[in-house]
Amino acid sequence: MARQTVSHEDGAIYEFTPDLEAITTIDPGTDLTIETRDSLDGAVQDESDVIESVPEEVNAATGPIAIEGATPGDVLRVEIEEIRLAEAQGRVITIDGFGLLDRHEDIDAPRTRMTPVEDGTIAFADLEVPVDPVIGTIGVAPDSESYTTLVPHDHGGNLDTTDVTAGNVIYFPVFQDGAMLAMGDCKAAMADGEMCGTGSEIATEIDATVEVIDAPAIDLERPLVETPDSWKTIASAETLQAACELANRDAIDLLRAEHGFDATDAYMASSLVGGLEISQVVDPLVTVRNAVPKAYLSDPF
Amino acid sequence: MARQTVSHEDGAIYEFTPDLEAITTIDPGTDLTIETRDSLDGAVQDESDVIESVPEEVNAATGPIAIEGATPGDVLRVEIEEIRLAEAQGRVITIDGFGLLDRHEDIDAPRTRMTPVEDGTIAFADLEVPVDPVIGTIGVAPDSESYTTLVPHDHGGNLDTTDVTAGNVIYFPVFQDGAMLAMGDCKAAMADGEMCGTGSEIATEIDATVEVIDAPAIDLERPLVETPDSWKTIASAETLQAACELANRDAIDLLRAEHGFDATDAYMASSLVGGLEISQVVDPLVTVRNAVPKAYLSDPF
């Protein structure tokens, strides 16, 4: 089967809605290359290009891609094989009214810093940071509400989670026929937290393979990511505390299904291994993971 | 210089106060062994021993140990060399009114699970968890307020941070003459987050060496931990968001001192490397770290 390329020029969305229309339909197992533009649609090309306020349209997600045979109740399995940078520089920006420290008086916004790519690193002033790309926005058509690509929720969206990277697999609940996968908003590098509101925003080409899990053994409510060592639940909410509760509840459900624990024993087990991790603290809803090492969890599907 | 042992039987505190009186005074560089009892003072020896409500006295911290020559404005450097388990089992407990999910109706409290130690692991039901000890409570005499050993703050205290472990170094501001170091509340294993409110609570013997950094090059306001790969600021606050802001501000100060950045550039750099990490989400104040890899930060003192 030939590799199929889907470009942001073929179609991109700024909102995940329940009634998305696909720009293409693929069979499960297709070798996909997804081309994404940077989260700011190319508006920032040097340090004099500053962004005064959060744009109405941001984080363009290439797609939607319908997956043949995906129906509500299934799980979509997205294996991320490789993420290649598609331009010679990324950009880190501050925007007034956005970011962890946006009300602090010594923090200047708007500001832009360009981060040139060279020999597997990006440069930020005298820092040489290894390229370690992250897909910031990735998701499927939601159940009933709509979410702009600035917002993370149970359908995915603007998760800004460093584990959404090459070598890992991300799983989504399927809410609509065809699932309607879309992704974009990649970073050449990003810290857990994404404190200033961006990583090094950059255009990419993503190699991925998508499969449909029919009749999954667990009822997946939110995204789940598989790394070489761990399964990590991902939850977004208005506060970090609320996101921690959701992520922990989901980890508890996985531990219960595997070990036959009641909720309390699973909760106690979750307090011993792996643990809570911060994805991002800046988007309209914030995002947290609960990692459980694979030593204690097998494939839940 | 002979190794000096300080036992919880010599003295232990349940509150860090500005006017602590030392049970012993040591010279900097002394080879110390600190014996700690479990956080529940031995009250839980089998699964029928349950804790109905948070005890008034909990997390006994062995000490205080005065360090000769430490004066306010210095930094105390505590190198943790080894943590040995001093009993054959730990315990994980839930307490009504405590823990991330304590209001959830399927979570049963009080409950106790014993975790026997065998061959470098602890057993929780069918889970075999590698022993990886953590010092839960460690700190110095605070500046002006008093804090029970249930509470973390700028003096340290109940930080419940998995990086406070063998092979790492933790640094504290010195607020009072002699610093008045105390530690206890160890766990045989703990997840980041400590969701149910405890790890596997256990008695230990801690080998450590303490040094005083006179005239430090930075003004340390809160604890800082050094791992083999990273420097991590540690901050506690009423909400995770507020703790993230403090931990990020401290990381920004370190990046500024090293790279000559203004606050905004340091903030942007902090969004590219390392990142925010959750220590614990259950104590009266919650605790967060901001890790910065050593590739971008040298010893700040």
Side-chain angles (χ1 to χ4, degrees):
Chain A
M1 198 156 48
R3 177 166 291 278
Q4 183 169 343
T5 297
V6 183
S7 168
H8 58 95
E9 292 176 355
D10 304 325
I13 57 170
Y14 295 98
E15 188 170 35
F16 287 92
T17 68
D19 58 353
L20 289 173
E21 289 192 19
I23 58 168
T24 186
T25 298
I26 64 162
D27 287 322
T30 303
D31 289 325
L32 265 180
T33 295
I34 298 132
E35 298 176 354
T36 69
R37 59 178 179 256
D38 80 86
S39 61
L40 300 158
D41 288 339
V44 175
Q45 294 301 330
D46 65 51
E47 296 190 352
S48 66
D49 295 331
V50 297
I51 303 292
E52 298 283 347
S53 61
V54 178
E56 257 189 62
E57 294 194 326
V58 71
N59 300 338
T62 299
I65 301 166
I67 292 84
E68 193 71 59
T71 56
D74 294 344
V75 164
L76 199 70
R77 179 186 194 279
V78 183
E79 183 166 355
I80 305 163
E81 289 144 3
E82 190 177 341
I83 306 175
R84 292 178 297 279
L85 305 187
E87 55 181 324
Q89 56 179 358
R91 64 284 290 158
V92 188
I93 67 168
T94 57
I95 303 176
D96 191 34
F98 196 62
L100 177 65
L101 303 183
D102 81 273
R103 300 173 315 285
H104 292 235
E105 61 179 34
D106 59 351
I107 298 299
D108 187 30
R111 182 180 290 184
T112 292
R113 293 292 183 216
M114 301 308 296
T115 56
V117 180
E118 193 170 346
D119 291 336
T121 66
I122 56 166
F124 180 96
D126 63 326
L127 274 59
E128 291 187 357
V129 179
V131 169
D132 190 4
V134 176
I135 303 173
T137 298
I138 181 169
V140 297
D143 184 20
S144 56
E145 303 277 317
S146 293
Y147 303 91
T148 75
T149 43
L150 189 63
V151 183
H153 204 259
D154 297 351
H155 69 292
N158 193 17
L159 297 171
D160 286 329
T161 293
T162 52
D163 286 309
V164 184
T165 189
N168 293 348
V169 181
I170 183 162
Y171 300 82
F172 298 96
V174 175
F175 297 110
Q176 305 294 343
D177 286 341
M180 303 297 168
L181 178 67
M183 66 188 78
D185 176 31
C186 294
K187 295 99 174 52
M190 190 191 96
D192 280 331
E194 204 192 21
M195 293 75 114
C196 84
T198 73
S200 167
E201 309 294 304
I202 201 158
T204 67
E205 299 171 359
I206 302 162
D207 289 349
T209 310
V210 184
E211 303 280 358
V212 177
I213 301 172
D214 189 25
I218 60 158
D219 180 20
L220 188 70
E221 290 184 56
R222 273 173 287 277
L224 178 70
V225 66
E226 178 186 1
T227 74
D229 302 324
S230 297
W231 294 91
K232 301 187 184 187
T233 64
I234 303 177
S236 303
E238 299 231 344
T239 67
L240 285 165
Q241 194 81 17
C244 286
E245 289 188 33
L246 282 174
N248 187 221
R249 292 250 36 141
D250 289 347
I252 285 170
D253 286 346
L254 295 177
L255 286 163
R256 294 184 68 175
E258 173 107 5
H259 296 278
F261 290 143
D262 72 2
T264 308
D265 279 343
Y267 176 48
M268 296 169 92
S270 79
S271 301
L272 295 179
V273 299
L276 296 170
E277 300 175 350
I278 289 175
S279 289
Q280 58 81 21
V281 298
V282 295
D283 297 328
L285 300 176
V286 295
T287 305
V288 162
R289 287 157 287 178
N290 192 154
V292 181
K294 284 184 172 174
Y296 313 105
L297 269 188
S298 51
D299 188 324
F301 302 111
Chain B
M1 200 157 49
R3 177 165 291 279
Q4 183 169 342
T5 298
V6 182
S7 167
H8 58 94
E9 292 178 354
D10 303 326
I13 58 170
Y14 296 98
E15 189 170 32
F16 287 92
T17 67
D19 58 353
L20 289 172
E21 289 192 19
I23 59 168
T24 186
T25 299
I26 64 161
D27 287 320
T30 303
D31 288 325
L32 266 180
T33 297
I34 297 133
E35 297 176 355
T36 69
R37 58 181 180 255
D38 80 86
S39 61
L40 300 158
D41 288 338
V44 175
Q45 295 300 330
D46 65 51
E47 296 190 351
S48 67
D49 295 330
V50 297
I51 303 292
E52 297 284 347
S53 60
V54 178
E56 258 189 60
E57 294 194 326
V58 71
N59 300 339
T62 299
I65 301 166
I67 293 83
E68 193 71 59
T71 57
D74 294 344
V75 165
L76 200 70
R77 179 186 194 279
V78 183
E79 182 165 354
I80 305 163
E81 288 144 4
E82 190 177 340
I83 306 174
R84 293 178 296 279
L85 305 186
E87 57 182 322
Q89 55 179 0
R91 64 285 290 157
V92 188
I93 67 168
T94 57
I95 302 177
D96 191 32
F98 195 64
L100 177 65
L101 304 182
D102 81 274
R103 300 173 314 284
H104 292 235
E105 62 179 33
D106 59 350
I107 299 298
D108 187 31
R111 181 181 290 185
T112 293
R113 294 293 183 215
M114 301 306 296
T115 56
V117 180
E118 193 169 347
D119 291 336
T121 66
I122 56 167
F124 180 96
D126 62 327
L127 274 59
E128 291 186 358
V129 179
V131 170
D132 189 3
V134 176
I135 304 173
T137 298
I138 181 169
V140 297
D143 183 21
S144 56
E145 303 277 316
S146 294
Y147 302 92
T148 75
T149 44
L150 189 63
V151 183
H153 204 260
D154 297 351
H155 69 292
N158 194 17
L159 297 172
D160 286 329
T161 294
T162 53
D163 286 308
V164 184
T165 188
N168 292 349
V169 181
I170 183 163
Y171 300 82
F172 297 97
V174 175
F175 297 108
Q176 305 294 343
D177 286 340
M180 304 295 166
L181 179 68
M183 66 188 78
D185 175 34
C186 294
K187 295 98 173 55
M190 190 190 96
D192 280 331
E194 204 192 24
M195 292 76 113
C196 85
T198 73
S200 168
E201 309 294 304
I202 200 158
T204 68
E205 299 171 359
I206 302 162
D207 290 347
T209 309
V210 184
E211 303 281 357
V212 177
I213 301 172
D214 190 24
I218 59 158
D219 180 22
L220 187 71
E221 290 185 57
R222 275 172 285 277
L224 177 70
V225 66
E226 179 185 1
T227 74
D229 301 325
S230 297
W231 294 92
K232 301 187 184 186
T233 64
I234 304 177
S236 302
E238 298 229 344
T239 67
L240 285 165
Q241 194 81 16
C244 286
E245 289 188 31
L246 283 175
N248 187 222
R249 292 250 37 143
D250 289 348
I252 285 171
D253 286 346
L254 295 177
L255 286 164
R256 293 184 70 175
E258 173 107 5
H259 295 279
F261 290 145
D262 72 2
T264 308
D265 279 343
Y267 176 49
M268 295 168 94
S270 79
S271 299
L272 295 179
V273 298
L276 295 170
E277 299 176 350
I278 289 175
S279 289
Q280 58 80 21
V281 298
V282 295
D283 297 327
L285 300 177
V286 294
T287 306
V288 162
R289 287 157 287 177
N290 192 154
V292 181
K294 284 184 172 175
Y296 312 106
L297 270 187
S298 52
D299 187 323
F301 301 112

